[in-house]
Amino acid sequence: MDFINYETDNKVAVITLDRPEKSNAQHAPMLRELDSAWDTAAADDDIRVIVVRANGKHFSAGHDLSDEGKHWWSQEVDIQNKGLEAVYQWERTHYLGFTRKWRDIPKPSIAAVQGACIAGGLMLAWPCDLIIAADDAKFSDPVARMAIGGVEYHGHTWELGARKAKELLFTGRYLGAEEAEKLGMVNRVVSRDSLDSETMQLAHEIAEMHPFGLAAAKRAVNQTLDIMGFYASLQSVFDIHATGHGNALSVTGGKATILSNLQEMKSGAKHV
Ligand code: ZN
């Protein structure tokens, strides 16, 4: 794999985002490698706990909006002929679909987050059962600036509560590690230097529990959230997200894509 490292350490699978020169921004090949790594960990009976961590200064800058990211997007999303349908189908698989699938894998998972975790970056951390944050970690979802109401996976309200979710989305500001811990989005905050060791210590501790007990405990919590409406709201808010792409397409005469974003939105619609 080119963008993801996969290692095992005594019952613990360690999945590492390894595109540090791009702040671990996600493009199509990286996402597919990441999904494959989750599959490998899920299928291995010797693996009890899955850790998702990142090389470099930042956990993830989100979806790759650079020319390279746009290249992959244009290869796979036929906007010219299919318009919003193409966007919807691709994002349903690669964004909502992947993240929801990782969330439901019946093994405990832990995200270790340092530096920036922006927009699509949240969609790599939120599906994990636990989040350990370095003291320099900061979280944001600024996509309202692109006239879209948040990333494809609406964890916001569930993770932060309604008012803080709105504040985050309305302002696009960063949420610091300590504030995230206070809100319950993060389990604990540790020093940057000890992020990996603290994460692995917790992973190994959990890995000694009975695997069926762990799966049952995870299922109990996730099922409770689903009964409260989490699963259904993910789908319906994904559809709200898609109206943002539809708006971008309409105001730019079919040229805008998710990656074309702010600049084109600004030139295409004065009210943005
Ligand atoms: Zn989108």
Side-chain angles (χ1 to χ4, degrees):
M1 293 193 283
D2 297 320
F3 309 105
I4 300 289
N5 294 335
Y6 182 87
E7 297 162 304
T8 60
D9 177 3
N10 188 26
K11 300 181 187 175
V12 177
V14 180
I15 298 170
T16 299
L17 314 178
D18 191 27
R19 206 182 175 215
E21 73 283 2
K22 299 278 188 179
S23 298
N24 294 307
Q26 309 154 34
H27 59 3
M30 182 181 182
L31 280 168
R32 284 193 285 267
E33 285 186 10
L34 178 57
D35 185 57
S36 171
W38 274 97
D39 281 345
T40 301
D44 185 344
D45 285 342
D46 293 333
I47 293 301
R48 303 283 172 83
V49 177
I50 301 164
V51 166
V52 177
R53 62 177 298 284
N55 282 340
K57 192 176 176 194
H58 301 294
F59 181 76
S60 176
H63 299 148
D64 186 350
L65 306 181
S66 71
D67 287 345
E68 193 178 355
K70 285 182 188 175
H71 166 76
W72 280 98
W73 176 265
S74 61
Q75 294 284 309
E76 301 189 11
V77 183
D78 185 5
I79 285 189
Q80 291 302 317
N81 293 307
K82 293 189 175 174
L84 181 60
E85 178 187 353
V87 178
Y88 190 93
Q89 290 183 347
W90 198 91
E91 294 201 340
R92 184 175 55 190
T93 299
H94 292 84
Y95 294 155
L96 176 65
F98 280 174
T99 301
R100 194 160 59 182
K101 177 183 141 189
W102 303 334
R103 180 253 187 186
D104 288 334
I105 284 173
K107 296 180 180 183
S109 53
I110 308 173
V113 179
Q114 80 276 15
C117 178
I118 302 172
L122 297 167
M123 292 164 60
L124 308 190
W126 279 344
C128 293
D129 299 304
L130 309 176
I131 299 177
I132 309 295
D135 49 17
D136 70 345
K138 51 185 186 176
F139 306 84
S140 79
D141 183 357
V143 307
R145 295 197 177 113
M146 297 161 60
I148 294 177
V151 289
E152 290 80 3
Y153 181 94
H154 186 75
H156 315 62
T157 304
W158 302 87
E159 297 280 357
L160 305 169
R163 292 197 193 284
K164 280 292 181 182
K166 287 173 182 169
E167 181 185 332
L168 196 77
L169 289 165
F170 290 174
T171 64
R173 77 169 176 88
Y174 279 113
L175 192 71
E178 285 184 13
E179 191 178 1
E181 183 187 25
K182 237 180 262 175
L183 293 167
M185 197 195 98
V186 158
N187 290 83
R188 62 181 76 160
V189 179
V190 300
S191 71
R192 175 70 185 90
D193 288 344
S194 64
L195 179 63
D196 285 330
S197 60
E198 296 259 4
T199 301
M200 291 308 291
Q201 190 179 345
L202 180 60
H204 285 302
E205 180 188 334
I206 294 171
E208 294 309 311
M209 299 285 282
H210 194 290
F212 193 66
L214 291 171
K218 174 166 181 167
R219 180 78 180 137
V221 176
N222 282 6
Q223 180 71 357
T224 299
L225 290 170
D226 291 346
I227 290 167
M228 291 165 70
F230 178 72
Y231 203 86
S233 76
L234 281 182
Q235 182 60 54
S236 65
V237 180
F238 176 76
D239 290 355
I240 294 172
H241 174 93
T243 64
H245 290 302
N247 182 52
L249 286 165
S250 67
V251 299
T252 58
K255 289 180 185 165
T257 71
I258 182 181
L259 298 174
S260 61
N261 53 67
L262 197 55
Q263 291 309 316
E264 285 177 351
M265 289 291 293
K266 277 182 174 169
S267 62
K270 289 192 172 63
H271 63 274
V272 172

